[in-house]
Amino acid sequence: MSIAGFQFDNTYARELEGFYVPWKGAEVPAPRMIHFNRALAGELGLDAEVLESDAGAAIFAGHEAPEGAEPLAMAYAGHQFGGFSPQLGDGRALLLGEVIDRQGRRRDIHLKGSGRTPFSRGGDGKAVLGPVLREYIIGEAMHALGVPTTRALAAVATGEEIMRQDGPAPGAVLARVASSHLRVGTFQFFAARGETERLRQLADYAIARHYPELAGQPERYLGLLEAVRDRQASLIAQWMNLGFVHGVMNTDNMTISGETIDYGPCAFIDGYDPAMVFSSIDSHGRYAYGNQPKIAQWNLARLAETLLDLINPEDSDDAVKRASDVVNGFPLAYERAWLSGMRAKLGLAREEPDDMDLAVGLLAVLETQGADFTRIFRSLGHAAAGDVAPVRALLANPAGFDVWLPLWQARLKREEMPQEERIGAMNRVNPVYIPRNHMVEAALDSATKGDLAPFERLVEVLADPFTERKGLEVFALGAPSDFGPYTTFCGT
């Protein structure tokens, strides 16, 4: 064991030679810990006291590799905004290694912004403070909201000034944790080269790591596709039920594990609008909030294409048919997951045939007015108790809601559930606090100017998103009227 408690067991490096390039992080002039996730370090069995020090800053900046680490840049391809790039890879990131956490789960420790690699394609391989802290905030908020996600272990300043379009910005590196960083694009990399045996090796590795119940099964590659479909359907349903917009759902940003990855131009909607786009580079709305389920299915189809020779190497027509059946099952899998989440948000414990119409009816009311998605659903807890005033106050014209309300109330009455139990259940899935875009931007702006207090406060508040607390009312409010249209950037 290293002095910091790392117990590496690097299966990707050991079992998948040729799927990566061994590499070292760039040396940086003055690595300094900005924020360290002690709770996550505890889960991983790491020594927080050591890692919160200058020694930890050097490790998580990529400046020094701890004992047992085998840093490497992973190879992958990807469709970016619909166009295929046969070679992307970790252009500014490194897989430091894998550890087994206290619950026996294998977790990657991955550095983002640690310098150029052979996959950098002319980029500087660096990250700047704002995007690093954005990913820290959003990733940890998503975890607290119950969404499968990469987690932030540490944010480290490098002591450099990095040039970006708006001028120099302080350099930083994010250390993040995931159950793996296998992507649809990882499969595409080898499929594009016609390397079927390496695809088989990768698929078997993914199965052993994420879907061990499929190991050795004769239909395991079709089973892998089905398993990824179901996890992604569940994940996207959670995004939609929380108003989250990923912003850049390229195939290299879709994980095999079903975790959210790569928080670049991401955001949460305030007013409900399926056409909402925040990313500066998504000029045609490909990755708009309401398009996310369709894009997930499109990405799944790209994964299916890579697996055809494994599903049935003897009969390509049969392989296409069977894979297509799986991909075509995505809408139903998504609908089930989404409606299950929406029932919970509406305080419903059992299924009825008209529940979809009920849920869609409320969203139609919200869309006509751009009503605050998060606050409306949180206020439904009051409405379930008989006080509809908080919901109506959020609507410029509550007439549509007044038509919908008795339908919902009648539906509630058909379930025998104590009122207190129902409201408690609703409040456990309808958050009070989300990473409001204006609050995130204010925190990042302050941090860039040297004041980390707003960032630290926001991280603290978002760690408990479902418990309403006195004195935190400002964190529950939507953007002020002068905040204006919100645009996010990928950070490169």
Side-chain angles (χ1 to χ4, degrees):
M1 183 188 300
S2 74
I3 191 172
F6 289 104
Q7 298 186 68
F8 287 107
D9 180 34
N10 304 318
T11 61
Y12 196 92
R14 187 168 65 242
E15 299 176 18
L16 295 177
E17 186 176 352
F19 291 66
Y20 60 85
V21 178
W23 206 253
K24 292 183 178 180
E27 293 187 4
V28 297
R32 174 178 57 84
M33 188 66 68
I34 300 171
H35 199 83
F36 185 68
N37 191 335
R38 295 179 68 93
L40 179 55
E43 287 182 24
L44 299 175
L46 304 180
D47 189 328
E49 295 298 327
V50 170
L51 291 175
E52 204 166 12
S53 68
D54 290 344
I59 290 171
F60 294 131
H63 188 85
E64 296 180 7
E67 180 184 346
E70 297 179 74
L72 58 87
M74 304 173 77
Y76 50 85
H79 277 87
Q80 299 189 311
F81 289 89
F84 185 62
S85 296
Q87 180 170 302
L88 296 171
D90 284 334
R92 57 175 183 144
L94 291 176
L95 174 60
L96 193 63
E98 305 157 34
V99 298
I100 308 300
D101 70 13
R102 293 186 183 277
Q103 295 184 32
R105 299 172 300 181
R106 182 173 299 277
R107 314 281 286 275
D108 280 358
I109 300 180
H110 195 257
L111 307 181
K112 189 172 181 178
S114 51
R116 287 190 179 93
T117 77
F119 301 111
S120 293
R121 295 177 295 155
D124 62 16
K126 301 289 188 174
V128 298
L129 183 61
V132 163
L133 295 187
R134 178 190 299 280
E135 184 154 350
Y136 197 114
I137 292 168
I138 306 296
E140 286 304 290
M142 292 285 271
H143 171 71
L145 289 164
V147 181
T149 180
T150 55
R151 303 260 332 257
L153 178 59
V156 177
T158 62
E160 302 169 296
E161 289 290 308
I162 308 298
M163 288 303 301
R164 289 293 182 259
Q165 286 177 313
D166 296 332
V173 177
L174 178 76
R176 64 186 185 185
V177 174
S179 62
S180 87
H181 286 78
L182 299 175
R183 313 153 189 262
V184 171
T186 317
F187 286 78
Q188 290 181 295
F189 183 88
F190 297 101
R193 288 160 174 75
E195 298 185 36
T196 303
E197 287 311 307
R198 285 198 167 179
L199 269 174
R200 188 186 309 278
Q201 186 181 359
L202 177 62
D204 286 340
Y205 177 84
I207 287 168
R209 186 156 178 176
H210 295 298
Y211 306 100
E213 67 278 6
L214 297 174
Q217 297 296 318
E219 300 291 343
R220 61 187 179 276
Y221 304 120
L222 190 67
L224 173 63
L225 184 62
E226 291 175 340
V228 174
R229 176 197 66 191
D230 292 344
R231 284 202 188 175
Q232 283 292 331
S234 175
L235 177 67
I236 305 304
Q238 288 180 277
W239 289 4
M240 299 299 289
N241 284 333
L242 290 167
F244 173 73
V245 184
H246 184 278
V248 61
M249 289 178 65
N250 298 329
T251 57
D252 55 299
N253 290 337
M254 181 174 175
T255 61
I256 302 303
S257 64
E259 294 170 297
T260 315
I261 191 173
D262 284 336
Y263 296 97
C266 60
F268 281 76
I269 59 173
D270 281 326
Y272 179 75
D273 179 2
M276 184 60 68
V277 172
F278 296 104
S279 171
S280 64
I281 56 176
D282 193 3
S283 56
H284 299 292
R286 176 180 174 86
Y287 300 141
Y289 169 63
N291 283 350
Q292 293 181 132
K294 293 179 181 178
I295 292 297
Q297 184 181 14
W298 192 91
N299 289 348
L300 185 71
R302 306 290 77 76
L303 175 63
E305 291 166 352
T306 72
L307 297 175
L308 293 176
D309 286 344
L310 304 182
I311 291 171
N312 190 340
E314 305 299 328
D315 188 336
S316 59
D317 289 341
D318 177 71
V320 169
K321 181 184 181 303
R322 298 172 77 191
S324 295
D325 287 344
V326 173
V327 173
N328 291 337
F330 182 91
L332 181 58
Y334 166 76
E335 181 181 292
R336 287 173 174 166
W338 180 85
L339 188 54
S340 175
M342 193 57 64
R343 283 192 183 100
K345 291 174 77 67
L346 293 173
L348 307 176
R350 68 166 189 259
E351 299 179 11
E352 287 194 8
D354 294 336
D355 289 346
M356 176 64 76
D357 291 339
L358 187 69
V360 171
L362 176 59
L363 295 181
V365 171
L366 303 189
E367 185 176 357
T368 60
Q369 303 187 51
D372 192 293
F373 183 80
T374 301
R375 296 183 69 195
I376 287 285
F377 275 98
R378 182 69 182 196
S379 296
L380 285 180
H382 297 287
D387 181 9
V388 300
V391 178
R392 296 181 88 253
L394 294 171
L395 298 164
N397 180 0
F401 175 76
D402 292 341
V403 172
W404 178 85
L405 179 63
L407 302 176
W408 178 55
Q409 291 173 327
R411 175 69 177 82
L412 294 179
K413 288 179 180 178
R414 292 198 293 274
E415 296 191 2
E416 295 181 2
M417 183 187 297
Q419 186 181 97
E420 185 175 333
E421 181 182 335
R422 186 193 309 279
I423 296 168
M426 292 175 71
N427 287 345
R428 286 191 293 273
V429 296
N430 291 317
V432 185
Y433 313 110
I434 61 169
R436 294 283 184 176
N437 301 324
H438 64 291
M439 301 292 289
V440 171
E441 287 304 313
L444 300 186
D445 183 60
S446 292
T448 301
K449 295 175 181 176
D451 181 8
L452 285 170
F455 161 78
E456 292 169 347
R457 181 59 165 156
L458 187 58
V459 169
E460 177 187 6
V461 170
L462 296 174
D464 186 7
F466 299 106
T467 304
E468 191 167 359
R469 286 156 283 168
K470 289 184 178 180
L472 301 182
E473 292 80 5
V474 67
F475 290 93
L477 299 178
S481 58
D482 61 355
F483 184 62
Y486 184 51
T487 302
T488 56
F489 302 87
C490 67
T492 53

